[in-house]
Amino acid sequence: MPGGRLTHEERQHIATGLAEGLGYTEIGRRLRRPASTIMREVTRNGGPYDYGADRAHRATQHRARRRKQAQPPAPPVPDSGHGRDPQAVQDFTHFFTALLEQQGLPRMMARVLACLALTDSGTLTAADLVQRLRVSPASVSHAITYLEQQGLLSRERTPGTRRERYVIDDDIWLRSLRASLQMNDALAAASQHATEILGAATPAGTRFESTTEFLLLVSESLRQVTEQWQQSRAARSPAR
């Protein structure tokens, strides 16, 4: 953590800043700490609405004692070249994982996705993920299945072997957006059907009719964004 571990006094300032409605960036600026440090501290200790300085300080001391008794540290991550600062990479990994959690991903799924996203190759095996994250193969398998269903990664089989590799690429968020679009379309169709069953003139029917209009508008916007992105990429691609 840049500048050393957070002190109890700094945690009190964080609690005060949250109570005042300040964002992580502003709190970090006042404490001369990265916003990622503040976000990670708050996320680990109850979130912005349940953060307590005393409780967070005690929890951190408890975690520190447990780490001293835990297993040896994990081996270094191979993708640490290119002149990168390993500590900066580790700090950002924690920050990005917490951000994915805030977006709704369960913690293990967020850890797996962040691990893949920060790998230069964009591909890892189950064994790689188990080693890097120090979790069970079952946890990795469950996370991979979930992320694949969300369109956030795909599987590849190494030629001549039964070994699978899990892959993300430049289209990771495009696939996720398409998955969201399919779900949105399904909800719009269901809302339209509910309007027909309940009657558009009834309060419940009117509510579903309004929902249908909104969801159809969202679907149209998502399709336009998808088309604009594809056109932009095609324009940047070198002519063959």
Side-chain angles (χ1 to χ4, degrees):
M1 196 176 286
R5 297 186 181 280
L6 288 168
T7 65
H8 186 239
E9 183 179 0
E10 285 178 313
R11 290 190 166 96
Q12 289 177 324
H13 283 299
I14 291 173
T16 300
L18 292 172
E20 293 175 357
L22 301 180
Y24 298 135
T25 300
E26 177 59 22
I27 295 174
R29 187 188 66 79
R30 295 185 179 188
L31 293 177
R32 296 183 180 180
R33 294 277 192 168
S36 59
T37 297
I38 307 303
M39 178 179 180
R40 186 164 63 251
E41 164 70 13
V42 174
T43 302
R44 284 178 175 176
N45 295 288
Y49 302 108
D50 195 33
Y51 180 83
D54 294 338
R55 185 175 67 249
H57 198 66
R58 288 194 300 269
T60 300
Q61 291 177 324
H62 178 66
R63 285 194 294 266
R65 287 194 296 268
R66 289 185 59 186
R67 277 196 293 270
K68 289 181 180 179
Q69 303 170 358
Q71 301 177 6
V77 176
D79 295 342
S80 58
H82 306 287
R84 295 168 180 150
D85 178 353
Q87 185 61 51
V89 173
Q90 185 178 23
D91 286 343
F92 181 77
T93 300
H94 290 309
F95 168 76
F96 190 53
T97 300
L99 182 61
L100 291 173
E101 287 185 79
Q102 285 196 338
Q103 300 301 312
L105 275 183
R107 177 160 179 75
M108 181 53 61
M109 289 62 172
R111 293 185 66 197
V112 169
L113 185 59
C115 189
L116 273 165
L118 290 164
T119 304
D120 282 317
S121 65
T123 66
L124 291 171
T125 65
D128 293 332
L129 289 165
V130 167
Q131 181 185 36
R132 292 178 180 222
L133 300 176
R134 286 195 173 277
V135 296
S136 69
S139 296
V140 168
S141 177
H142 181 62
I144 290 296
T145 299
Y146 178 92
L147 292 171
E148 188 177 26
Q149 290 172 346
Q150 301 302 312
L152 292 172
L153 58 76
S154 58
R155 299 174 188 244
E156 283 183 355
R157 191 176 295 280
T158 304
T161 72
R162 298 179 61 185
R163 177 191 249 183
E164 285 187 333
R165 301 184 68 86
Y166 309 116
V167 184
I168 63 169
D169 53 28
D170 293 345
D171 288 333
I172 172 178
W173 301 116
L174 178 61
R175 287 195 301 272
S176 177
L177 183 62
R178 284 172 172 165
S180 298
L181 180 57
Q182 290 179 347
M183 176 58 72
N184 199 74
D185 286 343
L187 288 172
S191 297
Q192 178 61 47
H193 188 45
T195 302
E196 296 169 356
I197 292 174
L198 299 170
T202 66
T206 299
R207 188 183 312 120
F208 272 104
E209 186 175 39
S210 177
T211 298
T212 303
E213 292 176 2
F214 173 74
L215 292 175
L216 290 175
L217 181 61
V218 170
S219 289
E220 180 60 28
S221 298
L222 290 178
R223 287 190 175 88
Q224 290 178 2
V225 169
T226 299
E227 292 173 3
Q228 289 173 0
W229 171 244
Q230 291 174 322
Q231 291 170 3
S232 176
R233 290 194 64 185
R236 292 200 307 268
S237 299
R240 295 185 178 179

